[in-house]
């Protein structure tokens, strides 16, 4: 298969937005990015992020915080944006993705507050103690063909995720009990990564609860992503951890590393835990 370029990939087509009027964009939530009929949170974040990138004077997301208010389903959607502050280096905006119920009622699905800038203008100065996750080469990891049939979703076919066997015991029915998931991440059509695919990557791996012995849907309540730099060409490595599941909720912390060992994105989300 020829590698898709930015702009002609399935991801770009399915996150496309069309300006209807100032600050109003039409979109279509694709069935191809769903899990159990619900659109993936990272996919939706990328779609809203694309609209904000068109509405604001700066093109790249730096910090994006989303509250997921109701379940997004395949079908038409409208994204309404509002510029809150515009400066020389950064601009901040708000966006809401809405869909219509069968009776015509407009329902807000996601509300986002985001700050945008220009990734190419960032300083090269890096001072960090963070280290990329230790993982086997992708050919020694577990691909989509290893996932039990009952856990395969529409989303699975759009991604090329290779899971670290040390964090994928759930596949063979032997979860480790640890709140950890690590894997290599690419789009199935080979589209190169950019800031929008980083918004997808922070919420695309199987939830950490699988490895904790808790199968089932893990809906996101709130997710905040930080895009730290433009990724180098090549596959991404994603590490997700949960340290505290309590009261029926859990946090998931994500780190995304590029092929040159740069930490390119970070995220934390609060999600609803599956019932054990």
């Amino acid at each position: 298969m020829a590698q898709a370029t930015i702009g002609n990939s399935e991801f770009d087509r399915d996150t496309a937005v069309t300006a209807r009027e100032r600050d109003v964009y039409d979109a279509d939530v694709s069935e191809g990015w769903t899990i159990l009929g619900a659109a993936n949170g990272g996919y939706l974040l990328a779609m809203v992020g694309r609209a904000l990138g068109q509405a604001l004077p700066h093109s790249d997301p730096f910090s994006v915080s989303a509250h997921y208010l109701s379940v997004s389903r395949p079908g038409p959607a409208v994204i309404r944006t509002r510029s809150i502050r515009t400066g020389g280096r950064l601009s901040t905006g708000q966006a809401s993705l809405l869909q219509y119920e069968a009776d015509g009622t407009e329902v807000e699905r996601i509300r986002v507050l985001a700050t945008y800038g220009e990734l190419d203008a960032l300083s090269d100065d890096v001072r960090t103690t963070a280290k990329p996750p230790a993982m086997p080469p992708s050919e020694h990891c577990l691909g989509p063909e290893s996932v039990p049939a009952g856990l395969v979703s529409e989303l699975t076919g759009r991604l090329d995720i290779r899971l670290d066997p040390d964090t994928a015991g759930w596949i063979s029915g032997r979860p480790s009990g640890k709140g950890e998931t690590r894997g290599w991440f690419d789009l199935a059509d080979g589209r190169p990564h950019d800031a929008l695919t980083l918004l997808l990557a922070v919420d695309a791996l199987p939830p950490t609860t699988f490895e904790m012995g808790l199968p089932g849907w893990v809906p996101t309540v709130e997710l905040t992503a930080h895009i730290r730099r433009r990724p180098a060409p090549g596959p991404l490595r994603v590490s997700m951890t949960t340290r505290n599941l309590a009261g029926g909720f859990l946090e998931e912390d994500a780190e995304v590393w590029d092929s040159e060992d740069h930490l390119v994105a970070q995220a934390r989300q609060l999600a609803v835990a599956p019932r054990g």
Side-chain angles (χ1 to χ4, degrees):
M1 178 186 298
Q3 178 169 297
T5 59
I6 294 176
N8 74 348
S9 74
E10 187 175 34
F11 172 80
D12 293 307
R13 293 193 298 272
D14 290 346
T15 58
V17 298
T18 303
R20 180 197 307 177
E21 57 188 74
R22 182 180 175 85
D23 295 329
V24 180
Y25 299 84
D26 290 314
D28 193 77
V29 177
S30 170
E31 185 177 4
W33 302 84
T34 60
I35 303 171
L36 299 176
N40 169 262
Y43 160 71
L44 295 169
L45 200 61
M47 178 181 286
V48 175
R50 188 182 293 279
L52 280 167
Q54 295 186 21
L56 296 173
H58 296 92
S59 57
D60 297 320
F62 276 23
S63 177
V64 182
S65 295
H67 285 262
Y68 294 80
L69 307 177
S70 56
V71 177
S72 298
R73 304 292 186 186
V78 60
I79 300 172
R80 303 185 190 279
T81 65
R82 180 166 69 91
S83 177
I84 297 173
R85 178 187 179 276
T86 298
R89 294 182 61 192
L90 300 171
S91 55
T92 299
Q94 177 180 301
S96 293
L97 185 148
L98 307 103
Q99 291 186 305
Y100 296 93
E101 300 288 6
D103 62 1
T105 303
E106 190 176 72
V107 178
E108 188 172 10
R109 303 300 195 195
I110 307 171
R111 183 173 296 186
V112 170
L113 183 65
T115 295
Y116 273 56
E118 300 296 338
L119 289 174
D120 292 335
L122 293 179
S123 165
D124 291 332
D125 185 23
V126 177
R127 310 180 194 193
T128 182
T129 59
K131 296 181 180 180
M135 296 194 316
S138 60
E139 60 268 24
H140 296 154
C141 291
L142 302 175
E145 67 282 353
S146 302
V147 177
L151 295 176
V152 173
S153 66
E154 294 293 334
L155 179 67
T156 306
R158 273 69 191 169
L159 306 176
D160 183 9
I161 294 176
R162 306 281 164 174
L163 297 174
D164 182 343
D166 286 346
T167 66
W170 56 271
I171 288 179
S172 58
R174 296 188 296 272
S176 68
K178 298 178 181 179
E180 298 178 352
T181 299
R182 294 187 296 272
W184 297 88
F185 175 86
D186 259 327
L187 295 179
D189 62 10
R191 178 203 189 272
H193 293 294
D194 61 6
L196 291 180
T197 65
L198 294 180
L199 293 178
L200 170 66
V202 298
D203 191 43
L205 264 62
T208 55
T209 49
F210 283 13
E211 193 62 4
M212 299 168 77
L214 295 171
W217 188 37
V218 184
T220 301
V221 177
E222 184 272 342
L223 187 154
T224 295
H226 295 161
I227 306 303
R228 306 306 304 272
R229 65 182 294 157
R230 200 174 303 284
L236 302 173
R237 285 160 291 170
V238 182
S239 172
M240 301 182 67
T241 58
T242 293
R243 297 190 302 165
N244 191 56
L245 189 159
F249 294 85
L250 67 143
E251 92 288 347
E252 281 193 340
D253 289 317
E255 290 185 350
V256 183
W257 296 79
D258 71 8
S259 60
E260 296 181 358
D261 289 347
H262 299 132
L263 181 59
V264 292
Q266 298 165 283
R268 166 167 281 196
Q269 66 172 281
L270 180 71
V272 180
R275 296 180 179 179

